[in-house]
Amino acid sequence: MNDRLAVVLRDLAFAYPPLRHNGDPVEVYQGLSVQILPGERIALLGATGVGKTTLAYILAALAPRMTGGTLHGLVHVNGRDVSQTSPADMSADVGLVFQSPDQQLFNMTVADEIAFGLEGLALPPEEIECRIAQTLADVGLQGMEERAPWQLSGGQQKRLAIGVVLAMRPPILVLDEPLSGLDPAGRQTVMALLDRLRSQHGVTIVLIEQHADFVARWADRVLVVADGRLLLDGRPRDVFAHTALLETHGVPVPHIVALTARLRAEGVDVPLCLHVEEAAQALPAPRYVPDAPSNKTRTAPPAIEIEQVSFTYERETSPVPALHEVSLRVPQGQFVALVGANGSGKSTLARHLNGLLRPQQGHVRILGHDTRTQTVPVLARMVGYVFQNPDHQIFAPTVREEIAFGVRNLGMSEPHVSRRVDEALHRFGLHVYADAPPAVLGYGIRRLVTIAAVWAMRPPIWVLDEPTTGLDARYTALLADHMRRLHAEGHTILLITHDMALVGALAERVVVMQAGHVVADTTPCDLFANQTGLTAWGLEVPPLARLLAAKHVPLPTPLTVEAVAALWL
């Protein structure tokens, strides 16, 4: 029977080595049993740090060989006993896309990245060239063959990493959060590609993902892991029906599911709905209509002033223009979302705010100080920057030291440093990892470490580049609450994100970038009403806004499940 199954896990137990000397092993799984049929589309959900990435490593034979630890129980993948198979041999059966592209990309050009694995398969040169061209078309990176991977945007790097694995055409794909950091067009590209692989080639796909709305539409089965075991296993509709249980475990649920579950709990006669289309048909007209949001313009002194800034990345073959005469003024205390498609210039603009990049033309002023005259350490006192990739920020030997580093550089006394660090550890639930090396922690936990390190410094201006990537629903809600509190306390916040639901819930202003230009500067409500513009700019309307548009109801501010549910209660 096992030969007819793509994956068989029986009584899987796995533990990492102790995080500290004389400590206990870090148990991840204690008796996980799952069977996956060939060609199935499986979505694996679970809280941050629950072991989803570890399971991906196990299926690819990387754990425990490359990670350390102990594995017990039966793990068969495509008929192979993982415990008896090397990672190199298993790569013929399992293509693993890592959560962070930096773990996967190392060649000098985009074409070389795709060719590397194909050459390892000893394919003829003409076949390699054909697959490179087809893969670039599949992942929407045509014309970037000679560009260096590190010159791509984060979302483009993600698509390249996916393409590298897909080009090798393994029978089983394991993708660790492939949609994180992708714009809507990029997500559509990946979704269409995964569907084509299943329908045309019968590929088995195991997808680790926090994007619950995508999971609800795409997956054949949803597996939810918690406390080292399988918590739920079933069709998306059946699994998401356990809304309260999932929320308790920090597992994301689609916004429409959360809304209809809340209304049902309050006695509104409506079925549990997965999608906007279902809810639009099932819900009656709301009892209340929200007031039109106020579009007051802040008159506070500027926190950020960007005047006619242009920037081009230099490279040997040809320059890559990134910003074109960008001008932007952000008053002190404003919460601004900076949005746009992958490669539109968002992160490049953000790096100008803390001195990592300097304008080649124009000026950037932070709290009145021209960045060209200020050092990076001085700017770091004014601008707290949370990088898109936490591994570009973390360097200290322990979580405690990572958080303490910036605070010490502010010149504070050791007792004050210790107090700030302890507060940050407890606020973000990191006290249990205080003495652990950040490098051995999961991606989502490393993300929290970077946010806690900035929080401990209390900068007046925050720049957060895709901060919710890798975070579960519980930690995303925690981070959103901290951002609201910082905003209420008068901090200036610039949030870079592709999560339009987060924009609607938090931001008072939205700046849209496209091809290095600012193409819109508006409110979330006005942005979501501009469907033509959103499509042209590679953005999308969040589910709650689409639902209210279908019911011809103005959007509340903020746009949250709680605020929308209140319209019916």
Side-chain angles (χ1 to χ4, degrees):
M1 178 178 178
N2 289 355
D3 292 340
R4 293 188 287 110
L5 294 169
V7 176
V8 179
L9 307 177
R10 188 177 304 143
D11 296 325
L12 168 65
F14 183 85
Y16 284 112
L19 293 177
R20 60 184 67 85
H21 183 64
N22 293 329
D24 295 326
V26 181
E27 291 190 345
V28 181
Y29 291 107
Q30 305 97 31
L32 180 67
S33 295
V34 172
Q35 294 184 350
I36 299 175
L37 296 171
E40 273 196 299
R41 296 181 300 188
I42 302 294
L44 179 65
L45 303 182
T48 298
V50 79
K52 304 183 296 297
T53 296
T54 297
L55 185 57
Y57 291 166
I58 291 171
L59 296 178
L62 295 176
R65 282 181 177 80
M66 308 299 290
T67 64
T70 58
L71 185 152
H72 299 285
L74 180 133
V75 182
H76 282 183
V77 179
N78 209 33
R80 293 179 184 263
D81 185 339
V82 168
S83 66
Q84 304 299 318
T85 308
S86 69
D89 289 341
M90 186 58 73
S91 67
D93 295 281
V94 177
L96 172 60
V97 177
F98 289 85
Q99 189 170 12
S100 172
D102 284 0
Q103 296 175 280
Q104 200 159 346
L105 305 177
F106 58 90
N107 284 285
M108 296 301 293
T109 70
V110 167
D112 288 343
E113 283 289 357
I114 299 172
F116 182 83
L118 302 178
E119 291 168 351
L121 297 177
L123 296 178
E126 58 273 14
E127 174 65 15
I128 291 176
E129 291 299 319
C130 181
R131 289 204 190 183
I132 290 173
Q134 181 62 55
T135 299
L136 290 172
D138 285 340
V139 298
L141 295 177
Q142 306 98 312
M144 299 187 182
E145 292 87 343
E146 298 306 314
R147 189 172 294 187
W150 58 87
Q151 292 176 326
L152 303 178
S153 71
Q156 290 167 337
Q157 289 180 355
K158 176 75 75 164
R159 280 187 277 151
L160 175 58
I162 293 170
V164 166
V165 172
L166 297 184
M168 299 176 68
R169 299 179 184 173
I172 299 173
L173 278 175
V174 180
L175 301 102
D176 195 352
E177 299 213 23
L179 304 183
S180 64
L182 293 186
D183 58 31
R187 289 200 296 269
Q188 289 293 334
T189 296
V190 172
M191 289 166 62
L193 186 55
L194 295 181
D195 286 341
R196 188 161 66 251
L197 288 170
R198 204 281 274 274
S199 62
Q200 295 180 3
H201 304 290
V203 174
T204 306
I205 302 173
V206 179
L207 184 79
I208 300 169
E209 189 51 64
Q210 299 283 0
H211 200 294
D213 291 287
F214 170 76
V215 168
R217 291 183 178 276
W218 174 83
D220 297 322
R221 283 169 63 198
V222 176
L223 308 178
V224 181
V225 291
D227 302 323
R229 291 180 171 80
L230 190 64
L231 180 69
L232 293 170
D233 178 359
R235 298 178 306 162
R237 186 174 299 278
D238 296 332
V239 168
F240 287 127
H242 298 276
T243 308
L245 179 64
L246 294 172
E247 291 176 344
T248 297
H249 285 277
V251 179
V253 299
H255 289 88
I256 298 301
V257 171
L259 172 65
T260 52
R262 181 178 292 271
L263 293 177
R264 287 161 58 89
E266 295 293 336
V268 178
D269 185 17
V270 59
L272 190 77
C273 300
L274 258 66
H275 313 301
V276 170
E277 299 82 1
E278 285 183 84
Q281 291 291 325
L283 282 170
R287 297 175 60 184
Y288 304 104
V289 175
D291 296 329
S294 172
N295 292 336
K296 292 181 181 178
T297 302
R298 285 182 178 262
T299 58
I304 300 168
E305 295 173 279
I306 300 168
E307 294 180 358
Q308 296 293 301
V309 168
S310 296
F311 186 86
T312 296
Y313 289 102
E314 301 295 338
R315 45 174 252 194
E316 292 183 4
T317 53
S318 62
V320 181
L323 299 176
H324 306 275
E325 298 182 350
V326 173
S327 294
L328 183 66
R329 182 185 184 277
V330 178
Q332 293 180 27
Q334 191 169 64
F335 197 130
V336 180
L338 185 63
V339 303
N342 294 133
S344 61
K346 303 184 300 296
S347 294
T348 298
L349 183 62
R351 292 188 186 107
H352 279 75
L353 304 183
N354 67 346
L356 293 179
L357 295 177
R358 308 286 178 165
Q360 295 163 344
Q361 173 186 313
H363 297 274
V364 176
R365 284 184 286 272
I366 302 297
L367 297 174
H369 301 278
D370 193 310
T371 59
R372 291 184 180 184
T373 66
Q374 305 296 320
T375 65
V376 171
V378 169
L379 289 170
R381 295 170 177 266
M382 296 182 276
V383 179
Y385 193 105
V386 177
F387 285 74
Q388 186 171 2
N389 185 335
D391 297 330
H392 293 170
Q393 192 167 344
I394 288 174
F395 63 92
T398 69
V399 169
R400 185 182 298 279
E401 285 300 307
E402 184 70 40
I403 298 173
F405 179 82
V407 184
R408 283 200 181 98
N409 281 349
L410 296 178
M412 294 184 178
S413 66
E414 278 304 309
H416 201 162
V417 170
S418 180
R419 185 161 58 251
R420 284 276 188 99
V421 171
D422 285 340
E423 288 175 357
L425 288 169
H426 282 84
R427 273 184 178 269
F428 291 91
L430 295 170
H431 51 284
V432 295
Y433 306 109
D435 299 317
V440 306
L441 303 176
Y443 185 89
I445 301 299
R446 298 201 302 277
R447 162 70 68 197
L448 286 178
V449 172
T450 64
I451 296 169
V454 173
W455 184 88
M457 295 175 66
R458 310 286 204 278
I461 301 170
W462 281 67
V463 178
L464 301 103
D465 196 348
E466 297 285 356
T468 57
T469 298
L471 298 187
D472 61 26
R474 182 169 42 206
Y475 280 123
T476 297
L478 175 68
L479 177 59
D481 183 59
H482 282 302
M483 285 192 280
R484 288 190 190 96
R485 279 204 250 169
L486 288 168
H487 183 213
E489 292 166 1
H491 292 259
T492 307
I493 301 178
L494 185 68
L495 171 67
I496 301 173
T497 184
H498 289 109
D499 187 344
M500 292 297 104
L502 199 63
V503 170
L506 294 175
E508 58 183 297
R509 176 183 175 192
V510 188
V511 174
V512 183
M513 294 193 67
Q514 184 181 45
H517 297 270
V518 171
V519 294
D521 189 345
T522 183
T523 65
C525 290
D526 288 344
L527 177 68
F528 299 153
N530 185 0
Q531 181 62 67
T532 301
L534 283 165
T535 301
W537 301 325
L539 303 173
E540 64 183 355
V541 182
L544 294 176
R546 284 192 287 126
L547 171 63
L548 294 183
K551 305 298 288 186
H552 306 290
V553 176
L555 303 185
T557 302
L559 183 64
T560 62
V561 169
E562 294 77 12
V564 174
L567 304 181
W568 274 269
L569 298 176

